[in-house]
């Protein structure tokens, strides 16, 4: 399965992934929201910054996924702290994800910079930061 993932441009997530400083990405919500349970080892993630340009710039392979059980605010904070070396979250990001009831921690490998390309989001109604596309070529412009 292939996924399109928006990264936090202000936090420099793309740059940190490409430089090898960051090896894990996070998503979370009060409920079991995408990508909870929908991303698996061997899947491919295509990354673009949430800067309005809409350009896919990198790809990576998923090697591990942790879908949390329901968490207390304290347990979610501990999970973030335990994985901070891989996540490289800014203070603002820590505040965003801390206290979420469900967290998904995704470890990536084989991160590659790509020649930038755009995707067609018209088949996706919501403006989410995670799109499960199946095959990137079906949305590539």
């Amino acid at each position: 399965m292939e996924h399109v993932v928006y990264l936090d441009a202000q936090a420099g997530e793309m740059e940190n992934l490409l430089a090898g400083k960051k090896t894990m990405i996070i998503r979370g919500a009060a409920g079991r929201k995408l990508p909870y349970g929908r991303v698996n080892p061997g899947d491919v993630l295509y990354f673009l910054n949430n800067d309005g340009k809409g350009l896919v710039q990198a790809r990576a392979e998923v090697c591990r996924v942790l879908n949390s059980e329901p968490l207390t605010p304290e347990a979610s904070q501990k999970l973030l702290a335990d994985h901070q070396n891989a996540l490289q979250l800014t203070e603002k990001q820590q505040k965003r994800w801390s206290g979420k009831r469900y967290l998904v921690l995704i470890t990536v490998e084989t991160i590659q910079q790509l020649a930038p390309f755009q995707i067609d989001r018209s088949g996706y109604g919501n403006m989410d930061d995670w799109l499960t596309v199946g095959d990137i070529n079906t949305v590539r412009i």
Side-chain angles (χ1 to χ4, degrees), residues 58-74:
R59 75 181 290 277
E61 293 177 27
V62 175
C63 62
R64 276 191 309 279
V65 180
L66 185 145
N67 293 297
S68 77
E69 296 298 320
L71 298 167
T72 64
E74 297 76 21

Side-chain angles (χ1 to χ4, degrees), residues 76-95:
S76 75
Q77 291 168 358
K78 181 175 182 344
L79 191 61
L80 293 180
D82 290 349
H83 292 89
Q84 176 59 11
N85 282 345
L87 287 165
Q88 293 294 306
L89 298 176
T90 63
E91 193 172 317
K92 184 177 176 183
Q93 288 176 310
Q94 286 179 8
K95 286 179 185 171

Side-chain angles (χ1 to χ4, degrees), residues 7-73:
L7 298 175
D8 188 336
Q10 284 187 332
E13 280 191 298
M14 178 88 68
E15 295 79 7
N16 286 338
L17 281 165
L18 289 168
K21 295 177 186 174
K22 178 181 184 72
T23 57
M24 184 180 282
I25 59 172
I26 185 171
R27 289 296 182 271
R32 292 180 182 172
K33 185 179 163 218
L34 194 69
Y36 191 97
R38 303 274 301 278
V39 62
N40 298 292
D43 285 1
V44 176
L45 308 182
Y46 288 87
F47 298 118
L48 57 141
N49 280 319
N50 64 351
D51 59 5
K53 295 178 184 171
L55 291 173
V56 173
Q57 299 177 50
R59 75 181 290 277
E61 293 177 27
V62 175
C63 62
R64 276 191 309 279
V65 180
L66 185 145
N67 293 297
S68 77
E69 296 298 320
L71 298 167
T72 64

